[in-house]
Amino acid sequence: MVMALLPTVVFAEGEQAQWGIAGDDGSAPMTWEGNGDLAAAMNYANGLDEGNIAYIQLLGDINKDNHTTWPLNFNSGKTTILDLNGKNIDRGLTSSVASISGHVIAVGGDLTLKDSSSSANGKITGGNTNTTYYSCGGVYVEENGKFTMLSGNITGNKGQTGGGVFVGSNGNFEMQGGNITDNLASAGAGVYVNNIGILTMKGGNITGNTAVNGGGVYIGWSNPKFGLFNMQGGSIADNVAKNGGGVYNGGDLTITGGSITRNKSEMNIRGG
């Protein structure tokens, strides 16, 4: 019997990440090219030649005490898979300590978030932005950026527009799995979709988020430009807002699958 060997790497205690080139199917590298702190992993991903997919796997928790450059910027023209591996990325901004650019991750290129651990309990957390114009707490998908969520958690973040995820103009967010939970915002506590932004939900859960408008999802507009939300699967449940507990629809909403249940809306304007 011939048995395939899994890729292995020897790393020192306290190292934050390992990295290499992903397989064609998005799998972990057969050979890791480096290991060390997250800053080195980010430099590797943002410096990789176009056409290659960087794979970063966390080896330890990331926080404001062991990482100083925030937000984590994934640059335009670069494709990266970020594997939480059961670890947390915690920016550590509380309600009393916010920042103008207080989000945890900024996506200018193509980023896929996953958690390969058996628990899949790794999380993006601790973001808090205090500006009033397009401010996000968790993951900010910039203009023309692409963000895919396969697994993991985006939780405990706060922003004015998009507690968990903000999708900018011509940005694209595809949610296939994972959880966006317990985030706060004025609009779109789970996800805020800006005009010409696109949200496609195929799986996962958007639950337990709280906003003034759009507890789960806020679909924005600036006439004649509208945000687009195509819901094919997954669950939007137990979110709370004054208007649109589950989905606040000011744009273009298509539902062909999934469920929107048990959300609470005080005014029941533009969605329940």
Side-chain angles (χ1 to χ4, degrees):
M1 178 183 295
V2 178
M3 299 182 65
L5 297 177
L6 296 175
T8 59
V9 64
V10 177
F11 56 88
E13 183 178 356
E15 289 187 344
Q16 297 175 341
Q18 57 188 359
W19 56 85
I21 296 177
D24 293 338
D25 59 353
S27 57
M30 291 302 298
T31 302
W32 297 102
E33 296 193 12
N35 51 80
D37 60 27
L38 183 60
M42 297 293 297
N43 288 336
Y44 171 84
N46 287 326
L48 202 60
D49 291 340
E50 188 173 349
N52 290 316
I53 302 174
Y55 193 109
I56 299 174
Q57 184 180 72
L58 297 187
L59 301 175
D61 292 333
I62 307 299
N63 56 57
K64 61 184 178 61
D65 295 324
N66 61 25
H67 184 79
T68 59
T69 305
W70 301 94
L72 307 180
N73 286 298
F74 293 88
N75 292 346
S76 175
K78 305 299 180 180
T79 302
T80 305
I81 298 171
L82 176 60
D83 181 359
L84 296 176
N85 190 31
K87 310 303 181 183
N88 303 326
I89 301 178
D90 183 357
R91 185 160 180 181
L93 296 177
T94 65
S95 58
S96 60
V97 182
S99 172
I100 293 176
S101 297
H103 45 285
V104 182
I105 290 175
V107 182
D110 186 336
L111 175 67
T112 297
L113 179 69
K114 64 183 291 187
D115 189 331
S116 65
S117 70
S118 58
S119 64
N121 62 359
K123 61 186 178 182
I124 306 295
T125 190
N128 186 7
T129 301
N130 59 7
T131 56
T132 58
Y133 184 74
Y134 294 160
S135 65
C136 167
V139 178
Y140 191 112
V141 184
E142 299 174 351
E143 184 173 356
N144 298 316
K146 181 180 179 182
F147 176 47
T148 303
M149 185 174 182
L150 302 180
S151 52
N153 303 275
I154 299 174
T155 183
N157 302 285
K158 182 179 180 181
Q160 294 297 314
T161 51
V165 178
F166 174 88
V167 186
S169 297
N170 292 312
N172 193 312
F173 173 32
E174 182 172 298
M175 187 174 185
Q176 298 184 23
N179 304 287
I180 299 176
T181 63
D182 298 321
N183 301 286
L184 302 174
S186 293
V191 182
Y192 183 105
V193 186
N194 195 24
N195 52 296
I196 326 182
I198 300 173
L199 166 62
T200 302
M201 188 173 184
K202 298 181 177 180
N205 304 287
I206 299 176
T207 61
N209 303 284
T210 303
V212 177
N213 299 309
V217 176
Y218 181 101
I219 310 170
W221 78 98
S222 179
N223 195 24
K225 301 174 181 179
F226 298 88
L228 304 175
F229 178 21
N230 183 3
M231 187 173 184
Q232 302 174 11
S235 173
I236 300 175
D238 301 313
N239 301 285
V240 178
K242 184 175 181 180
N243 301 306
V247 178
Y248 183 102
N249 181 25
D252 188 340
L253 171 63
T254 301
I255 301 175
T256 57
S259 63
I260 303 175
T261 59
R262 302 190 309 274
N263 300 286
K264 296 182 180 180
S265 176
E266 178 182 336
M267 302 294 292
N268 200 27
I269 296 174
R270 291 187 182 271

